[in-house]
Amino acid sequence: ATVIAVRAARPASSAWSPLVGAVSRGVGTLAEAGQTEQFEQRLRHAGLGHLTVEDYRRRQLASAAVAALGGVVLAGLLRVGAGLGLMIVGAAIFFGATRWRAKVDRLTEQRRAVMQAEAHVVCQLLAIYLRTGDTPMSALERLCGRADGVIPAELSGATAVIRRGRPAPEILDRLAGETTEPAAARLYRTYAAG
């Protein structure tokens, strides 16, 4: 069977790209606190690791622009004075700029709840695989090959790195430091120590 890989086309660069990039960074700086590395980790915690910080900020800028337009329309429909109209538009921009932050927070909490529910089952499966004679690494690979979920997905990424020759305790300790759920972090550290 032939497998054909299709790459997503990147948007063509235009004369507006530097301006859009600068404005989106400005909106992102105003709406978000923290360094780029910290925010990349927040995106991973929310399950949005496929987005770069720049992509996120562009979406945030688009959301703020749409909200600003909505604020202008609302102020026009209400026929309010200039001062109140500016306050309506300002509130709309604030809502639009922070909407994506709220989405990241909501997705992170949902992901943590799923990981909390998965942790016990994953521990049980690993214990069963180890009792039936699997080595610790083959038990991890068996789990990743047979189970779906957030924890198995994180462990699958770790086992891929371990297979390339990196020491398992180091990779699992790093994964424990990067995960959002404390129960998963304890599992990864315990497994690394074993």
Side-chain angles (χ1 to χ4, degrees):
T2 304
V3 177
I4 300 173
V6 178
R7 289 187 183 168
R10 301 282 293 169
S13 180
S14 70
W16 295 99
S17 293
L19 177 62
V20 170
V23 171
S24 64
R25 279 189 297 278
V27 169
T29 301
L30 290 174
E32 304 292 337
Q35 301 294 329
T36 299
E37 297 82 22
Q38 293 169 338
F39 203 73
E40 286 173 347
Q41 186 172 19
R42 285 191 65 218
L43 289 173
R44 281 193 305 275
H45 286 176
L48 298 173
H50 61 281
L51 287 180
T52 65
V53 174
E54 195 65 31
D55 292 337
Y56 169 84
R57 288 187 174 151
R58 282 195 177 105
R59 290 176 187 207
Q60 194 175 37
L61 174 63
S63 178
V66 168
L69 181 61
V72 168
V73 169
L74 179 64
L77 289 174
L78 295 176
R79 297 183 185 194
V80 296
L84 184 57
L86 284 175
M87 288 190 344
I88 290 172
V89 172
I93 290 172
F94 178 77
F95 170 76
T98 57
R99 189 175 79 81
W100 269 88
R101 181 185 181 116
K103 179 179 181 174
V104 167
D105 292 342
R106 186 182 74 251
L107 289 173
T108 300
E109 285 308 310
Q110 289 172 351
R111 188 174 165 96
R112 284 185 74 182
V114 168
M115 291 176 82
Q116 220 170 22
E118 289 178 353
H120 180 71
V121 175
V122 168
C123 288
Q124 293 293 334
L125 286 172
L126 286 172
I128 290 169
Y129 295 155
L130 290 170
R131 284 186 192 144
T132 58
D134 283 336
T135 65
M137 192 61 203
S138 65
L140 270 182
E141 289 175 347
R142 191 171 168 190
L143 172 82
C144 295
R146 294 184 179 183
D148 291 326
V150 179
I151 292 177
E154 284 189 351
L155 287 171
S156 180
T159 56
V161 173
I162 293 167
R163 268 189 249 117
R164 287 192 294 255
R166 300 291 303 272
E170 173 191 322
I171 298 304
L172 291 171
D173 277 336
R174 182 166 13 121
L175 182 60
E178 292 176 354
T179 192
T180 185
E181 173 52 38
R186 283 191 300 274
L187 167 65
Y188 302 156
R189 284 193 180 99
T190 303
Y191 209 78

